[in-house]
Amino acid sequence: MNARIGHGYDVHAFTEGDGFVLGGVHIADRRGIRAHSDGDVLIHALCDAILGALGAGDIGQLYPDSDAGNEDRDSREFLRDVAGMAARAGLRLGNADVTIAAQAPKMAPHTPAMRELLARDLDCDERQINIKATTTEGLGFIGREEGIAVTAVVLLEPR
């Protein structure tokens, strides 16, 4: 199989809480994420990008919110499953480029730990994963701090 490109996008609303998980890292905050699983929007977008490159549907098809077994489930399990699918298809991560859109909190202090965890789950070097963050300059649901969105692009290459 030749190299394959995939794109993923996910968004979740904030709710009252005591922090949330993003890229496998707990982010201390006054809010949580409204979701069926742990709501790790970054990992969900990354899974969708990998699944897109594989032509294998999306995370909602594999891990539906109608399945009680997925309630509060650690999204890193989803990522390891999806990475296994890629490996069985003879592919590995070439690189991933991820963009977090959130007005607050600041993400830069957390991205090194995210890269470390994601690299471990994807069996790759941290340099193959880029994570950056942006705001929407106060515009829209992100600017009003009602939610968070993440886009991810991956290149899968032959093993």
Side-chain angles (χ1 to χ4, degrees):
M1 184 177 276
N2 294 325
R4 306 285 303 263
I5 297 171
H7 175 262
Y9 173 80
D10 198 27
V11 61
H12 281 284
F14 285 125
T15 187
E16 290 184 25
D18 59 353
F20 55 93
V21 178
L22 191 65
V25 174
H26 184 267
I27 309 291
D29 197 70
R30 69 185 191 283
R31 301 159 299 184
I33 296 283
R34 187 175 327 141
H36 185 70
S37 67
D38 66 2
D40 192 327
V41 65
L42 189 153
I43 288 181
H44 296 177
L46 189 54
C47 285
D48 271 350
I50 295 168
L51 290 167
L54 293 171
D58 62 51
I59 193 170
Q61 293 170 316
L62 285 169
Y63 312 104
D65 60 11
S66 58
D67 182 344
N70 292 325
E71 188 170 358
D72 298 323
R73 191 166 169 196
D74 183 342
S75 292
R76 289 181 66 201
E77 293 176 21
F78 301 153
L79 184 60
R80 289 188 292 266
D81 287 350
V82 169
M85 290 172 65
R88 288 188 296 280
L91 298 166
R92 65 180 179 167
L93 184 74
N95 74 299
D97 188 29
V98 178
T99 303
I100 304 164
Q103 198 64 36
K106 294 290 185 193
M107 297 294 161
H110 307 289
T111 58
M114 291 177 194
R115 290 177 66 208
E116 179 183 339
L117 289 174
L118 297 173
R120 190 178 316 148
D121 289 343
L122 293 168
D123 191 27
C124 69
D125 189 285
E126 289 178 39
R127 293 173 295 182
Q128 292 171 264
I129 300 170
N130 185 57
I131 301 173
K132 53 196 178 292
T134 189
T135 70
T136 59
E137 302 295 331
L139 299 174
F141 76 91
I142 292 170
R144 292 187 302 271
E145 298 186 33
E146 297 170 358
I148 185 170
V150 176
T151 61
V153 178
V154 300
L155 173 68
L156 298 182
E157 58 189 18
R159 281 187 134 347

